[in-house]
Amino acid sequence: MMRRLDRETVDRIAAGEVVTRPARVVVELLENALDAGAERVEIEVAGDGTERIRVVDDGRGMSESEASMAVERHTTSKLPGGDLTDVDTLGFRGEALASIADVARLTLTTNDDGARGTRVRVDGDDVAVDSAGRGQGTTVEVADLFYNRPARKESLAAPATEFERISERVAAYALLRPEVAIVLEHDDRQVFATAGSGDPVDAALAVYGREVARESTTIDAETTLSVGDEATARIRGLLAYPSVTRAASDHVRLAVNGRPVSVPSLRRTVERGYGSLLPGDRYPIAALDVSLPPSAVDQNVHPTKETVALRAADDVAAALEDAVSDALETADLRRSAEVAMDLEAALDPVEASSALGDATFIGRFRDLYLLCEAGEELLVIDQHAAHERINYERLRDAVASSGVPSAALDPPVTKSLSPGEVAAVERHAAELERLGFDCDPFGGGMVRIRAVPAPLGRVADADALETAVSALRDGDDADRRDERLAELACHPSLKAGDDLSAEDAAALVDRLGACDQPFACPHGRPTVLALDEAHLAGGFDRHPRRG
Ligand code: ADP
Ligand code: MG
């Protein structure tokens, strides 16, 4: 017999869709706390989260009548005009608390700064409302999650995995909302606690530790979008330098108007912003919030609001990529060399002002490192990495425009190539010439090479032709081409032990300074380390010279 389900049954079925696993409970409660204007939110989790989840906030709290309504379905205080288009809170569907209460025992203790607080207990169909002592704010405790949904409980992963999901979600809020102090505890052990200072680098220090914090910079950029009139996008947050990367892509976190969202295309946009600074198989660490006018966002496209639809998505992507690459370009990517001098390696942001422009070459160490004086710092430049960067940018520009200088091979070198490679040499003859090659196939898979690129008075070897040819064969894909050019840039680059006059060394430093991205080689490794005088002075127990 066909039967129409009553409203309540439909809602109960829906509850299972909202609350799929413990991490969702945590996210809903955390979002409620943030919506309530909390400055501090403590989250305690026992086991995999089905045992107990407790979220304590110091937000605005609720009155007795609000508290008893809050646990009913489709009650929300967040749509005053009933208009979905200008929601600026994280919640608005009014179903989280009710859905959680359907699948767990829920206790809500809250006070909106009244004389006394209220406690609401929901256990199955029983709802008990009492008064309770509590200062302003709200505590929600969720126990025995899925006690009445054995199949759901069965389907959960191992406790460590479920907690990992919780911790991952909480970390995203902690990094993207650095103005709120967020504390996460697991089985009475503190996992992390952010300071709530508003500085995302402080949040990164709490979540990731010192190395990442020290190698991070903040970003704050604004750009005009072509939606409606005068729409601007503001991009704010944290970027870790390419010196600290991760093997997986889930450390790029994005929020739209303060709500962490998962939009893979935007995540890839951030990766593109790092461009050639990133080693091929590594991913960056970033936490960026994109603020857009509410009219440019539809957050209602996904039941858990984890994804959003953006108007002018292409504009937003372009703005994001530019903001990331600009920030990495202007920020100083020099690594402060770790010096084993029993000094707290300073968390000081490295000054962006001291570029390579004022660096004076003072000597060489082990025929590999160029030492330069720059203001109060000693710079150590890896000549091979620096040369690769210079060659790479020259080759890249050459492919785009005029051509690189070349050096004649006398006598010419003959190489044997595969039929595919020979075909590519013929097809890309013009580009190869622009790259500095002079070569022609003369049958039987043989190619005569008369000249090779010489980007900086150095001469590539004949093998570079094969690298160039494969770069061009992959040329349809711009990213792949950059990778190949980076390999090609290696060919004529200085190696350790190569002779270099003081003049050449100084010229190399100048040329490096003129690069768009002087502080990393095209494979993403650093080119320059900086050691500031204070470190040395500290090591020698001296006070640094001033002025
Ligand atoms: P929504 O967040 O979509 O409105 P919820 O079911 O999550 O729906 O919450 C219902 C209502 O309960 C909210 O609109 C809010 O008024 C109130 N509320 C929930 N949690 C808190 C909290 N931590 N502090 C203050 N008010 C809260
Ligand atoms: Mg909510």
Side-chain angles (χ1 to χ4, degrees), residues 28-38 55 57 59-62 66-67 69-79 89-100 108 110 137-140 305:
E28 292 293 344
L29 299 181
L30 174 55
E31 290 200 342
N32 281 349
L34 295 171
D35 280 346
V55 176
D57 72 57
R60 144 172 4 89
M62 287 171 268
E66 286 167 340
M69 262 189 85
V71 297
E72 289 170 24
R73 196 161 294 280
H74 304 303
T75 50
T76 178
S77 58
K78 299 172 190 174
L79 287 178
T89 49
L90 298 170
F92 55 81
R93 292 165 174 262
E95 60 187 4
L97 288 181
S99 300
I100 294 167
L108 177 87
T110 186
T138 302
T139 300
V140 180
K305 303 162 291 182

Side-chain angles (χ1 to χ4, degrees), residues 33-34 36-42 56-60 177-183 194-197:
L34 295 171
E39 286 173 10
R40 182 181 170 84
V41 186
E42 283 171 39
V56 184
D57 72 57
D58 62 356
R60 144 172 4 89
R177 302 288 291 261
E179 71 285 359
V180 182
I182 295 180
V183 181
T194 61
S197 67

